[in-house]
Every structure is written in structure tokens, then in C-alpha cells.
């Protein structure tokens, strides 16, 4: 096996956290666009969805660029650096839109979103593609998921705590000053994590570790269609992963969190307190599934996570149905609070575990393609996941906007001052339980057709070693 040192795995895994922190900050863009820029909520929710679809369609092009990139600085590092810089600049441009004339804010807003998605996709794609060069040891690859679970959970839950317990109380609401602190803080943290990731992949970012090395088959543009058409594991897992990402979007959606904690339970600060409370359990659940993957294989762990997530959603839905303002409290722990915490943790983090595992499973699919065709197309394979992910998750803000518009919130989203109504509570149940349950159930059914289990991956790695040792292209093709 091509193995990496543990510190290399740890540092490179930080690249996903570097991009995920932008994903967290982007959840509040809806409030910036409506509250600061004065754009209509229903239009913003639709545009956010369309931009994600655009993001998905540019991803394959970025993947091909990565596959074709060969510089003295490597294949992955230059794209990572450029992506991080472009993403940072896009949010700085977003802040400046408040000074623009009202008549041109909307088209400029769309332009900034496009720039943001290009930069984000460039850096995010490296997370999936780079793992193939870092290690191909089935016991090492899940270590990436463990580190990613710790960092991503810490950033997302810790970020919600900082926003709800410090920034919102300090600035009174989602004000321009609030967004200035949030965005510049995000840029600095993301840049530090990106530098760490560059150090992690530095020694592995060379041709020796790409596919079959010197025996890697040349890939023309027409060959990418052959990959898409013939790689069944890619087809199955990309759709299943997209459905999972779509489902978990609702657990962190800023509008849904306002309805859940600020309106249903009457205390928005609880969202941050619970986020902090969830850091350790969230990490533990992800580590459990990653550890299962090291012993039983990634496919086995992925399926078990989906099954547990579905059970957790049913239990959480039952608890949520009986919730009323004042029922939830960390100051005076009661039975309802205990049931809410337990069921929410299981539903949320078991459902999220497959989203972390798939980052590594993409590397397995890349190795499968190498063993079948001799090609190394990790960039394109990584971005196919982003394509289906973006298309599916683009419906999340659309669904939130459509459901809320259906009960009278077409012009502005609910805020902490909005009174609780039966319609609003039912909308919350649909968004936080009903829609995610259906998405995860379909993903579970699809996984019956995904065959890259532990035994199959051992066979694939053995075949790749034989292909690497072949003395000519003819022998590689014959194998």
C-alpha cells in the first residue's frame, strides 16, 4: 500500500473544514440579502437554489482541469490555493454590495454568488481528489473521516454557539456589523486550515502517487463520457450521497433553526447552547462509524449510519410533535429536554455520518476506475459527487422558501419575534423530519446496488499493483 503518515492525514483532512466553514457562513446569507440588501426572501431562496445547480454543472469542468494540471508545485496544491483566495474575495465583495445602488444590487448579488461557487468548488474538489494520492490503505482512509468529524462538528456547532450567544446579542440582530465580523473571521480561519492542508499533501502531490504512475493511461475528453457511462459505483453512490446531503441541510439551515429554537421553544440562544453541547456526542458518533469502516469497510458503515439515522428521525419527530414554548431548558433539565437531546443527536449525527464517509468512498471509486481502465480521473470523479450533491441540495433552500411561502412567508422569513402558529409548527415538522426521512430512505435503497465492499476493495488494490508493475502500456491494457 501507498501509506501516509498520520500527521499528513490529519493536516490534509483540514481542507474540508476550511471549505465547510464557508458553508456555515453562507447559511446566513439569506438574512444578509433580505435584511441588509433589501432583497425579497422568495427570490433569494430561489436564486440560492439555482446557484447551487450552477455550482454542480461547473464542477465537472473543474475536475477535468485538476486531472489535466501538472505543475512543478504539483496537481492539487495550486488549485487549493486559488480556490481559497477566490472564495475569500467573493465574500468581501458581498459585504461591499450594501454600498451599491438598490437597482443593481440583485444582479451584482448573483454575480458574487457565481464567483463564490467557482472558488468554493475548486478547493472543495481537492478534498475528494487528493485522497487517492495520499493513501490507498483501507485502514488508513477512514482516519480522514475521524479527523474531519472532529473538525467539521467543532466548527459547525461551535460556529452556531458563537453566532447565537455572542454575535447576535452583541449586535442586536443580523446587522451589517454582525456580517462584517462573521465574514472576516471566516476568511482568516479558512486560510489557516488551508495552509495546514497544503503541508499535509505536500510530499504526496507528485506523479508517482497518481493512478498507475508512469503506466497511467492518457485520458482524452471523450473518455470522460466512458467513465460516466460505465462506472456503476460512481452512479449509485453519487445519487445516494446527494440525497444525504440534501437531508442534512435542514439540520443547519439558519431559518429552520430560528423557527425551532427562536419560535417553537421561545429562546434562540438555545441553538448555540445546544450546538456546544452536541460537539462531543457528534464527534463520538462520527468516530464510531469511521471505526466501523476501518474494520468492516466503508460500504457497511455507510449503510448502518443510514439505518440508525432513519430510526433517529422517527423518534425525534415524535418528540418534536409534543414540543411547546418553554418545554426546552438547559437551566432546569426536565424529561422533555433529555428526550429532545438524545433523539436529536441520534437523528442529526447518524444522518450526517454518511456525508463524511463519502469523502473517502470517492477515493475507492477512483481506484475502481483505475483498475478497470488504467485511467486516473480522481478530479472528475470527485466533482461528479459535487454535481449531484449541488443539484439535490439546491432544493433545500427552495423547499424551505416554498413551504414557508405556502403559509404566508413569501416576502420575509420568520424571525425571533414571529408568533408560533400550528401552521408554522407543521412546516417545521415537514422540513426537519419528513423531508430528510424520505431522502435517507431512498439513499438506503440505492446502496443495495453499490458493490465496493471491503473484500472487493482488497481485490482492486491487488490488481492496481499488478498493473503498476507491468512493463508496457500493452500489458497494462491487457490486465
Amino acid at each position: 500500500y501507498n501509506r501516509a503518515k498520520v500527521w499528513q492525514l490529519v493536516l490534509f483532512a483540514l481542507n474540508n473544514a476550511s471549505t465547510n466553514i464557508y458553508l456555515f457562513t453562507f447559511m446566513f446569507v439569506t438574512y444578509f440579502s433580505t435584511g441588509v440588501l433589501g432583497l425579497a426572501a422568495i427570490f433569494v431562496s430561489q436564486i440560492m437554489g439555482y446557484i447551487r445547480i450552477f455550482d454542480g454543472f461547473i464542477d465537472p469542468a473543474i475536475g477535468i482541469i485538476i486531472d489535466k494540471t501538472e505543475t512543478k508545485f504539483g496537481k492539487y496544491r495550486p488549485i487549493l490555493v486559488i480556490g481559497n483566495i477566490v472564495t475569500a474575495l467573493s465574500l468581501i465583495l458581498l459585504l461591499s454590495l450594501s454600498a451599491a445602488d438598490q437597482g443593481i444590487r440583485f444582479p451584482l448579488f448573483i454575480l458574487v454568488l457565481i464567483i463564490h461557487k467557482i472558488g468554493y468548488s475548486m478547493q472543495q474538489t481537492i478534498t475528494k481528489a487528493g485522497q487517492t494520492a495520499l493513501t490507498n490503505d483501507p485502514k488508513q482512509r477512514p482516519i480522514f473521516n475521524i479527523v474531519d468529524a472532529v473538525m467539521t462538528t467543532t466548527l459547525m456547532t461551535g460556529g452556531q454557539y458563537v453566532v447565537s450567544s455572542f454575535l447576535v446579542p452583541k449586535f442586536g440582530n443580523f446587522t451589517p456589523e454582525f456580517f462584517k465580523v462573521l465574514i472576516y473571521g471566516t476568511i482568516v480561519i479558512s486560510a489557516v486550515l488551508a495552509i495546514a492542508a497544503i503541508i499535509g499533501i505536500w510530499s504526496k502531490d507528485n506523479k508517482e502517487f497518481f493512478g498507475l504512475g508512469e503506466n497511467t493511461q492518457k485520458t482524452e475528453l471523450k473518455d470522460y463520457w466512458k467513465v460516466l457511462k460505465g462506472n456503476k459505483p460512481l452512479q449509485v453512490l453519487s445519487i445516494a450521497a446527494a440525497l444525504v446531503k440534501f437531508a442534512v441541510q435542514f439540520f443547519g439551515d439558519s431559518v429552520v433553526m430560528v423557527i425551532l429554537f427562536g419560535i417553537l421553544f421561545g429562546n434562540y440562544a438555545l441553538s448555540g447552547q445546544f450546538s456546544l453541547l452536541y460537539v462531543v456526542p457528534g464527534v463520538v458518533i462520527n468516530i464510531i462509524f469511521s471505526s466501523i469502516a476501518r474494520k468492516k469497510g466503508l460500504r457497511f458503515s455507510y449503510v448502518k449510519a443510514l439505518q440508525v439515522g432513519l430510526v433517529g428521525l422517527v423518534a425525534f419527530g415524535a418528540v418534536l410533535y409534543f414540543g411547546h414554548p418553554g418545554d426546552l431548558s438547559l437551566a432546569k433539565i426536565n424529561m422533555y429536554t433529555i428526550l429532545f437531546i438524545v433523539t436529536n443527536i441520534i437523528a442529526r449525527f447518524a444522518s450526517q455520518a454518511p456525508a463524511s464517509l463519502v469523502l473517502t468512498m470517492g477515493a475507492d471509486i477512483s481506484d475502481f476506475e483505475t483498475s478497470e481502465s488504467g485511467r486516473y480521473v480522481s478530479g472528475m470523479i470527485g466533482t461528479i459527487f459535487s454535481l449531484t450533491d449541488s443539484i439535490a441540495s439546491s432544493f433545500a433552500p427552495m423547499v424551505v422558501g416554498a413551504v414557508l411561502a405556502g403559509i404566508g412567508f413569501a416576502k420575509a422569513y420568520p424571525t425571533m419575534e414571529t408568533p408560533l402558529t400550528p401552521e408554522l409548527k407543521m412546516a417545521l415538522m415537514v422540513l426537519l423530519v419528513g423531508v430528510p426521512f424520505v431522502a435517507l430512505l431512498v439513499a438506503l435503497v440505492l446502496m443495495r446496488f453499490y458493490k465496493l465492499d471491503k473484500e472487493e476493495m482488497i481485490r482492486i488494490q491487488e490488481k492496481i499493483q499488478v498493473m503498476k508493475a507491468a512493463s508496457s502500456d500493452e500489458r497494462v491494457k491487457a490486465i
Side-chain angles (χ1 to χ4, degrees), residues 157-177:
T157 55
Q160 183 64 31
Y161 178 78
V162 170
V163 167
S164 62
S165 300
F166 291 99
L167 297 184
V168 169
K170 178 179 175 62
F171 297 109
N173 209 322
F174 300 122
T175 63
E177 291 75 20

Side-chain angles (χ1 to χ4, degrees), residues 410-432:
K411 293 186 177 180
Y413 289 117
T415 66
M416 278 76 82
E417 291 76 30
T418 303
L420 177 65
T421 63
E423 293 79 11
L424 195 55
K425 184 175 181 180
M426 185 53 63
L428 178 65
M429 293 283 294
V430 169
L431 293 172
L432 206 51

Side-chain angles (χ1 to χ4, degrees), residues 72-84:
K72 64 179 181 180
F73 301 108
K75 178 186 291 287
Y76 300 117
R77 287 171 290 170
I79 305 294
L80 194 159
V81 171
I82 294 170
N84 190 262

Side-chain angles (χ1 to χ4, degrees), residues 160-468:
Q160 183 64 31
Y161 178 78
V162 170
V163 167
S164 62
S165 300
F166 291 99
L167 297 184
V168 169
K170 178 179 175 62
F171 297 109
N173 209 322
F174 300 122
T175 63
E177 291 75 20
F178 163 88
F179 284 105
K180 188 175 292 186
V181 173
L182 177 67
I183 285 174
Y184 280 108
T186 297
I187 290 171
V188 171
I189 295 172
S190 178
V192 171
L193 294 173
I195 292 170
I198 291 169
I199 295 172
I201 200 172
W202 193 283
S203 65
K204 297 282 188 173
D205 192 8
N206 64 74
K207 195 170 184 178
E208 176 188 351
F209 303 107
F210 300 158
L212 302 179
E214 295 298 331
N215 284 340
T216 301
Q217 302 299 298
K218 187 176 181 181
T219 304
E220 306 291 344
L221 284 176
K222 63 181 180 181
D223 294 327
Y224 285 102
W225 173 246
K226 295 179 183 177
V227 174
L228 293 174
K229 187 178 178 181
N231 195 317
K232 187 174 180 180
L234 174 62
Q235 296 166 1
V236 172
L237 188 62
S238 60
I239 297 173
L243 289 168
V244 171
K245 188 61 176 286
F246 170 66
V248 302
Q249 289 275 99
F250 296 97
F251 288 109
D253 187 89
S254 59
V255 179
V256 175
M257 292 300 99
V258 167
I259 299 173
L260 176 62
F261 292 103
I263 300 175
L264 176 58
F265 295 115
N267 185 358
Y268 181 63
L270 284 173
S271 66
Q273 296 168 15
F274 273 86
S275 293
L276 195 63
L277 179 68
Y278 288 172
V279 170
V280 174
V283 169
V284 169
I285 288 176
N286 275 283
I287 289 176
I288 289 172
F289 285 111
S290 296
S291 299
I292 291 173
R294 295 189 73 188
K295 294 179 181 179
K296 302 263 188 177
L298 286 160
R299 182 194 180 280
F300 181 90
S301 183
Y302 193 96
V303 170
K304 288 301 175 186
L306 288 174
Q307 293 171 340
V308 175
L310 286 167
V311 174
L313 278 171
V314 172
F316 178 60
V319 173
L320 199 60
Y321 179 78
F322 294 101
H324 298 92
D327 285 351
L328 202 62
S329 174
L330 290 176
K332 295 181 180 180
I333 300 294
N334 53 46
M335 183 54 67
Y336 184 86
T337 301
I338 294 173
L339 289 173
F340 179 92
I341 291 172
V342 173
T343 57
N344 189 226
I345 286 174
I346 295 172
R348 179 174 182 172
F349 292 105
S351 299
Q352 287 181 352
S356 176
L357 292 172
V358 80
L359 295 173
T360 304
M361 294 169 80
D364 284 354
I365 292 175
S366 180
D367 287 342
F368 167 78
E369 179 60 37
T370 298
S371 72
E372 290 293 304
S373 67
R375 302 186 188 98
Y376 182 65
V377 287
S378 65
M380 190 275 284
I381 287 175
T383 52
I384 290 300
F385 284 98
S386 299
L387 169 61
T388 54
D389 179 304
S390 296
I391 292 174
S393 64
S394 67
F395 289 105
M398 291 182 180
V399 170
V400 171
V403 170
L404 294 178
I407 59 171
F409 293 94
K411 293 186 177 180
Y413 289 117
T415 66
M416 278 76 82
E417 291 76 30
T418 303
L420 177 65
T421 63
E423 293 79 11
L424 195 55
K425 184 175 181 180
M426 185 53 63
L428 178 65
M429 293 283 294
V430 169
L431 293 172
L432 206 51
V433 179
V435 175
F437 183 88
V438 173
L440 293 186
L441 184 61
V442 176
L444 181 60
V445 173
L446 284 171
M447 287 305 294
R448 296 183 62 184
F449 304 97
Y450 182 81
K451 304 301 183 182
L452 299 187
D453 56 14
K454 181 181 178 182
E455 290 74 22
E456 181 65 11
M457 287 310 303
I458 292 174
R459 187 193 70 80
I460 286 171
Q461 295 301 341
E462 289 175 343
K463 185 178 179 182
I464 287 176
Q465 290 308 309
V466 174
M467 294 169 78
K468 273 190 172 183

